[in-house]
Amino acid sequence: VPAPATVHLRIGELAERAGTTPRTVRYYEEIGLLDGGRDRDPGRHRTYTEADLDRLRELLRLKELLGLSLEELKEIVAAEDARAALRAEWHAAPPPRRRRQILGEALDHIERQLALLARRREQVAALEAELADRRARIEERLAEEGGV
Amino acid sequence: VPAPATVHLRIGELAERAGTTPRTVRYYEEIGLLDGGRDRDPGRHRTYTEADLDRLRELLRLKELLGLSLEELKEIVAAEDARAALRAEWHAAPPPRRRRQILGEALDHIERQLALLARRREQVAALEAELADRRARIEERLAEEGGV
DNA sequence: TTGCTCCTCACGTCACGTGAGGTGGC
DNA sequence: TTGCTCCTCACGTCACGTGAGGTGGC
């Protein structure tokens, strides 16, 4: 018997550890965003690996923090699958020019996501600054009141 | 003729300047989140003020940046209405003890929102840090490749 | 064998999008 | 008066929530 490569999770534990619900996981599978429980006879339980958990967590974070739709998440998954194909190609020891090209594409992908996150962080920081300003003015007045 | 206190906007311009659609504005009115076009005969056009625009913009920012539901936004509006009542009381020159209490409540409200925003900013920053880390490792490898 | 958790429909809900057909105001 | 933009239904859609009734695995 070969040693199990990864611990297997059922849908309830996967969902809980990812901070979501089984219904959401099934829905993501239904629309083709996740492939749930590979090679499963219909009616049987879905099983997932730790890698599935990591991927689901990342998708949920991008969705929550950037407000992406599930269609947009699909594009991200497609881009990641393309990158996985590039990594496979990488291991086949391609010529140096091709190696640099693969790395360049990976870099592009990450930089696009970083740009979105930076914008979002600036938006949050801007709103924070406005509220901090209001707070400062209230504290000023409280100090005046307290001084009287 | 008395000078108009504020410029009046129709729903299309209000929506566009707030970065949303007329349908959304009507829906918010329908569920009681906005009171659209005060004292309007049914079938007549809704009109809005600059103050309405500011409020709508703030609600949309909170919704987008914090992922709040419309029910949660209603609570925020209710809290703001309560604060408006306190401001009215403020102008009636209440006794000092009451003045400090009013300021204290305003401060609480702002600090709760600031806490939510700080958490959200940290989440975004954490994901950014992870991606920046990946980027650094790819750049390292690119430098190695370039050096060969 | 007993309890969980899981399964598959399938209808409900939230937050709007999208016409359909008609009226209002610069 | 001609064009916009607006109006009110009302059905559609996206991303799930929530039972209903039934089977699977430690």
Side-chain angles (χ1 to χ4, degrees), chain A residues 61 64-65 83 99 107 110 114 117-118 120-121 123-124 127-128 130-131 134-135 138 145, chain B residues 61 64-65 83 99 106-107 110 114 117-118 120-121 123-124 127-128 130-131 134-135 145:
Chain A
R61 276 215 290 179
E64 250 216 298
L65 296 181
R83 290 206 303 145
R99 294 172 78 87
L107 209 55
I110 288 189
L114 276 171
L117 286 166
R120 181 56 57 129
R121 182 171 41 76
Q123 289 173 338
V124 174
L127 186 50
E128 262 188 290
E130 280 177 40
L131 290 184
R134 280 198 226 168
R135 179 179 59 181
I138 291 178
E145 290 293 323
Chain B
R61 276 215 289 180
E64 252 216 297
L65 296 181
R83 291 206 301 143
R99 294 172 78 87
L107 209 55
I110 289 190
L114 276 171
L117 285 166
R120 181 54 59 127
R121 182 171 41 76
Q123 289 173 337
V124 174
L127 186 50
E128 261 188 292
E130 280 177 40
L131 291 184
R134 280 198 226 168
R135 180 180 59 181
E145 291 292 324

Side-chain angles (χ1 to χ4, degrees), chain B residues 26-119:
Chain B
R26 289 193 199 98
Y27 181 65
Y28 287 7
E29 177 184 338
E30 187 184 333
I31 65 169
L33 183 54
L34 297 175
D35 40 70
R38 277 147 290 261
D39 305 328
R40 184 174 61 95
D41 292 326
R44 305 288 307 264
H45 290 190
R46 293 167 177 83
T47 58
Y48 302 91
T49 66
E50 295 282 333
D52 291 326
L53 177 57
D54 287 342
R55 180 171 244 193
L56 178 55
R57 275 180 173 151
E58 197 192 340
L59 289 177
L60 290 173
R61 276 215 289 180
L62 287 172
K63 176 174 145 63
E64 252 216 297
L65 296 181
L66 293 178
L68 301 184
S69 70
L70 299 190
E71 277 313 306
E72 290 168 320
L73 286 184
K74 273 195 204 177
E75 290 172 28
I76 299 225
V77 166
E80 278 179 4
D81 288 347
R83 291 206 301 143
L86 289 183
R87 268 197 300 277
E89 190 188 339
W90 181 268
H91 290 303
R97 166 183 299 194
R98 180 69 183 139
R99 294 172 78 87
R100 281 193 296 276
Q101 194 188 346
I102 290 175
L103 289 176
E105 282 178 32
L107 209 55
D108 276 9
H109 178 70
I110 289 190
E111 271 166 0
R112 271 195 299 276
Q113 289 201 28
L114 276 171
L116 289 177
L117 285 166
R119 239 183 66 192

Side-chain angles (χ1 to χ4, degrees), chain B residues 10-31:
Chain B
R10 287 190 297 175
I11 196 170
E13 197 172 356
L14 176 82
E16 194 181 346
R17 290 176 62 180
T20 185
T21 68
R23 173 64 170 121
T24 295
V25 176
R26 289 193 199 98
Y27 181 65
Y28 287 7
E29 177 184 338
E30 187 184 333
I31 65 169

